[in-house]
Each structure stands twice: as C-alpha cells, then as structure tokens.
Amino acid sequence: MKPSDFNSYGARRGNHEVMVRGTFANVRLRNKLVPHIEGGYTRYLPTGEEMSIFDASAKYIAEKISLVILAGKEYGSGSSRDWAAKGPKLLGVRCVIAESYERIHRSNLVGMGILPLQFRAGENAESLHLTGEEVFEISGIRDAVEDFTTGREIKVRASHGDKTTEFHALVRIDTPVEAQYYKNGGILPFVLRQLVTAKN
C-alpha cells in the first residue's frame, strides 16, 4: 500500500503504536502549556523543551511519573470512543480533572483505570490558578472506592515551587460496578480476575 492510503488514524486503528501517537494529535488541540502552538504538542516540564505529547509522555513513563489532565467542559466530546480512553492510559495518564464530561467517555475512563474527577460548580483550572505545571497529590481515593457512594468528594493538592493550592473535587465514579472496575485497575483486569476466581 502507498503512504497516501493511510490518510487517517481511523484507517490504522488496529495498530496500537500508531493510535497511541494519534492520541491528542488533533491539529486544533489547544494545550495551555504551549499556548502559541496548535496541535498535539506540550512542554516537557523538567527541561522546558517543547515536543510532541507522545514524546513527552515517553519520557515521563521512563521516569515513572504519572500524568494528570486538566480540562474544561464536556471533556471527551467528539472523541473516537474506542481509543479516547485507551490512548491516555498508554500515555501514562492516571487522572483527569475536568469541569464536566461527555457521558460515555467518563465511563470509558473508569473502564481503563483512569480516575475522573470533576471541579466543584463554579471552579475550574483558571479560577484555582492552576497552570498544569503542578505536582498533584490526591487523597482519599481508596476510601472513595472501597466505601462507594455517589457524590463523594476528595482532596486535591497542587504544588508548584513554594505555592500550594488545595481544593476538593467530585469523584465521577458513578456506580458500584464502576468502583469495582477502578479498584481492579480497569475493566480488563477486573474480568480476568473474575475468570481466574471462577476457575478456582
């Protein structure tokens, strides 16, 4: 086949290496860590170097640094649903903090073992003066999963230099089944453990 035959990520969605590189590769993406560039770029914070999101995530993964996404309203809308949560998981994302979620994408994040948190009403990254350069500490995840109730909030601590911001965010694990998925690291590990238990 000719290179021109592979004109979209959708045409190559069976190849995970291609699709991981395609995650966040939308040419209209606006990442506030690099406000002067459109597309799938970011700033690798330890050095300040600008590079593709894929290349930066590979560096963070090698350093065993998990990633957090700060997002706005209706996060996940218009996404290619089968890869919209798989891609971030393979890029090292462990949590998304958004103003709101597209319904199915929120559930898919949980299914991949990514924690969806939601800012309180009236709050967002801008109002809390979060830039994305912070180190995030999230307290109370285990309790929220083990003792599941809807509407649970947990504390998030964001630190950058000598500045620390603390706020509470809503845990968007919305059902007991989702709590079990997240507790097991996602739907696939959950199903595998169920199969192993059934055989024993």
Side-chain angles (χ1 to χ4, degrees):
M1 297 184 82
K2 300 175 182 177
S4 58
D5 293 326
F6 300 106
N7 62 345
S8 70
Y9 287 108
R12 304 186 70 173
R13 69 190 325 117
N15 185 319
H16 76 279
E17 293 180 341
V18 171
M19 293 304 291
V20 171
R21 285 167 171 78
T23 303
F24 302 119
N26 188 305
V27 295
R28 292 289 174 257
L29 183 71
R30 300 293 267 179
N31 181 354
K32 292 187 177 181
L33 285 174
V34 283
H36 55 290
I37 305 175
E38 279 190 333
Y41 297 93
T42 191
R43 184 156 38 92
Y44 177 61
L45 295 177
T47 64
E49 184 182 359
E50 294 175 356
M51 61 184 70
S52 73
I53 289 174
F54 174 80
D55 287 338
S57 75
K59 288 178 176 287
Y60 287 124
I61 289 169
E63 295 164 6
K64 295 182 169 54
I65 297 173
S66 298
L67 303 177
V68 174
I69 293 173
L70 300 178
K73 295 177 181 177
E74 293 298 315
Y75 177 74
S77 295
S79 61
S80 174
R81 284 176 173 161
D82 61 332
W83 267 98
K86 275 189 282 188
K89 176 73 172 185
L90 294 172
L91 291 173
V93 174
R94 294 296 175 264
C95 176
V96 177
I97 311 175
E99 291 181 63
S100 63
Y101 290 89
E102 192 275 334
R103 179 179 58 85
I104 293 176
H105 182 64
R106 181 208 58 77
S107 182
N108 287 346
L109 289 173
V110 177
M112 289 306 302
I114 296 175
L115 179 66
L117 297 180
Q118 188 167 314
F119 291 110
R120 284 174 164 175
E123 293 185 345
N124 55 34
E126 287 76 18
S127 71
L128 293 167
H129 305 291
L130 302 175
T131 65
E133 299 183 40
E134 297 84 3
V135 173
F136 289 85
E137 298 174 60
I138 303 171
S139 306
I141 298 172
R142 184 184 299 275
D143 290 342
V145 174
E146 294 284 354
D147 184 23
F148 173 78
T149 56
T150 57
R152 191 100 179 233
E153 291 188 350
I154 57 178
K155 186 167 75 172
V156 181
R157 180 177 206 173
S159 303
H160 179 55
D162 58 0
K163 178 190 171 188
T164 298
T165 301
E166 292 187 352
F167 60 97
H168 284 80
L170 178 67
V171 179
R172 289 301 313 276
I173 296 175
D174 290 355
T175 68
V177 172
E178 287 183 351
Q180 288 300 310
Y181 290 164
Y182 183 79
K183 179 180 175 181
N184 282 274
I187 191 169
L188 291 179
F190 173 78
V191 171
L192 287 173
R193 288 188 178 104
Q194 294 288 98
L195 291 172
V196 169
T197 300
K199 286 183 178 181
N200 292 335

